[in-house]
């Protein structure tokens, strides 16, 4: 007997596809932090009813990307700078742990996935395509999570990474950041390839942390994004 409270499978697939599309749009800055996600406008954009849109927004709320405010609607979650810095500190330690374990545990197939993602990052950097770099960068980090051989750690890293997606994307808009990021990736790959777990953890931790000049650049990018959002509406 079918549970009447369970959405039809086709509707569930639609909601999942919408969630992924909106997640990508948030990550690449189409909907900056603080943007209201209007159900009617989104339903028109994707040519669907409001029901799968609502379900997708609920899922995004559960993942921390969206905040649903009573009687006001859904908004891309804004995180204060002190909280953001705390989250990036934790993210840096989680990824450092992944790199440490990956340098010990990655098999040949997993290393090949990492190298391929690194090559895609390099190609995107040469092409001057920050959006393609962002996508390849996601695959690069995911390969390290998987290579850690610790499913729980990988799960926690992905969950926090998803919450930070809009802000990780903003980092790549800072001048010269893509080139610097690629050089840091190379150092990470070299350390993992050499099986140097301490160095792999150190360079990946530094890659994620926002400090010094990078902190100032990041705060400036947040201010620019907020200015753009206000100008658009």
């Amino acid at each position: 007997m079918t549970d009447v409270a369970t959405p039809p499978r086709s509707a569930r697939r639609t909601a999942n596809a919408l969630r992924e599309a909106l997640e990508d749009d948030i990550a690449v800055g189409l909907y900056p932090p603080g943007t209201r996600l209007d159900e009617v406008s989104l339903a028109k954009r994707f040519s669907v009813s409001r029901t799968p849109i609502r379900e997708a927004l609920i899922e995004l709320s559960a993942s921390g990307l969206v905040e649903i405010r009573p009687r006001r609607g859904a908004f891309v979650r804004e995180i204060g700078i002190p909280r953001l810095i705390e989250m990036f500190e934790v993210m840096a330690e989680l990824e450092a742990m992944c790199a440490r374990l990956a340098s010990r545990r990655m098999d040949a197939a997993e290393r090949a996935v990492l190298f391929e993602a690194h090559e895609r990052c390099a190609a995107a950097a040469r092409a001057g395509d920050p959006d393609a770099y962002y996508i390849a960068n996601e695959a690069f980090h995911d390969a390290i999570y998987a290579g850690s051989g610790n499913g729980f750690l990988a799960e926690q890293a992905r969950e926090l990474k998803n919450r930070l997606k809009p802000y990780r994307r903003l980092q790549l808009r800072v001048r010269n950041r893509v080139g610097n990021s690629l050089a840091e990736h190379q150092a990470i790959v070299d350390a993992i390839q050499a099986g140097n777990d301490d160095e792999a953890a150190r360079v990946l931790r530094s890659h994620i942390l926002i400090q010094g000049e990078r902190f100032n650049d990041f705060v400036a990018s947040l201010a620019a994004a907020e200015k753009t959002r206000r100008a658009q509406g």
Side-chain angles (χ1 to χ4, degrees), residues 48-66:
V48 296
S49 70
R50 292 174 64 180
T51 298
I53 294 290
R54 189 174 298 115
E55 291 172 0
L57 292 175
I58 290 171
E59 289 186 9
L60 289 170
S61 174
S63 72
L65 271 180
V66 165

Side-chain angles (χ1 to χ4, degrees), residues 57-157:
L57 292 175
I58 290 171
E59 289 186 9
L60 289 170
S61 174
S63 72
L65 271 180
V66 165
E67 178 184 5
I68 297 178
R69 303 173 187 172
R71 297 181 297 279
R72 294 187 61 195
F75 295 78
V76 179
R77 185 178 291 276
E78 291 182 282
I79 304 173
I81 290 176
R83 183 69 166 178
L84 266 178
I85 299 307
E86 292 175 349
M87 292 171 74
F88 271 104
E89 286 178 343
V90 174
M91 186 81 257
E93 292 303 323
L94 288 175
E95 295 217 14
M97 192 181 304
C98 286
R100 182 185 300 279
L101 294 175
S103 69
R104 302 174 188 167
R105 299 176 177 178
M106 265 187 163
D107 60 27
E110 289 169 331
R111 289 172 190 266
V113 171
L114 178 64
F115 299 156
E116 193 274 336
H118 182 47
E119 286 302 314
R120 284 196 284 131
C121 285
R126 287 193 298 269
D129 188 340
D131 289 338
Y133 187 89
Y134 173 80
I135 293 169
N137 180 65
E138 291 280 284
F140 180 86
H141 287 269
D142 280 337
I144 295 173
Y145 303 163
S148 73
N150 186 315
F152 179 75
L153 174 61
E155 181 181 297
Q156 298 303 305

